[in-house]
Amino acid sequence: MEKLIITAAISGAEVTKEHNPVVPYTIEECVREASLAYKAGASIIHLHVRKDDGTPTQDKNRFKEVMDAIRVECPDAIIQPSTGGAVGMTNDERLQPTELYPEMATLDCGTLNFGGDEIFENTENTIKYFGQRMIENNIKPELEVFDKSMIDMALRLHKKGFIKSPMHFDFVMGVNGGISGTLRDFVFLRNSIPADATYTVAGVGRFEFPLATAAIIDGGHVRVGLEDNLYISKGVLTKSNGELVEKVVRLAKELGREIATPAEAREILGLKKR
Ligand code: KMH
Ligand code: ZN
């Protein structure tokens, strides 16, 4: 079985220090959280950035500052900026980090309810626009799917040339508005992607570690982090992204799965270090 790629989604755009005081806002805090996750075994850092007061931003200069600072502590980590940003941002605002030519970036594959009155909007034309930009800039998209229909959308746009093979998916499961985090739905998603595709799973909240375990057994990959889950165990806030990654590493060891280094993750995903 392939080695396990662990992604740490260290910050997100929705969670705040009121939810867990270790949610990073400043550059120093982002470096601390990325570095703890990297040292624990994460090879990919999925990144959202904030202003110092915690407001999410897709500002290219802020991304550059944070990414440069993370690279000092985590020289070979794969840094994967979000192009999802935060609900309500415009497409061009969201696409700014692609101007930094990262190896990877997220590509969200559909619209969904995102709690309360929030709608995370990704029309078909938006997905085409983002896909085209990533092809032009030689950026490997991580296809964020919050529901089965989004896999179908990605497959259709792949046929039309907006997404290249081999595709890499992130099953984001358990968002209030998306697919549930049950094992039944995990099997449904993993059986719906092409044979040459890879996937990682991001279980939201209490689904994080059960779905990580399923992916470890299945030969998939795992995403954890404060963006998706604030707790190390029921009712106990995690001390860091590093602690969440350490738990995945322990589960993988128990189940006989080795952890991929960043170089091995690049090999598995077909990335070229920039
Ligand atoms: N913050 C969400 C609205 C992504 O990173 O591409 C979108 C998100 C997905 O987190
Ligand atoms: Zn994200």
Side-chain angles (χ1 to χ4, degrees), residues 9 12-14 46-48 82 84-85 106 144 223 227-228:
E14 288 77 29
H46 169 67
L47 191 65
H48 292 251
S82 169
T106 57
E144 308 297 300
R223 173 173 123 172
E227 175 167 350
D228 305 327

Side-chain angles (χ1 to χ4, degrees), residues 111-115 145-150 172-181 185 189:
T111 295
L112 78 155
N113 281 332
F114 222 66
V145 296
F146 297 78
D147 217 332
K148 159 70 163 58
S149 60
M150 299 191 194
V172 188
M173 303 185 66
V175 171
N176 188 8
I179 199 163
S180 86
D185 287 348
L189 296 188

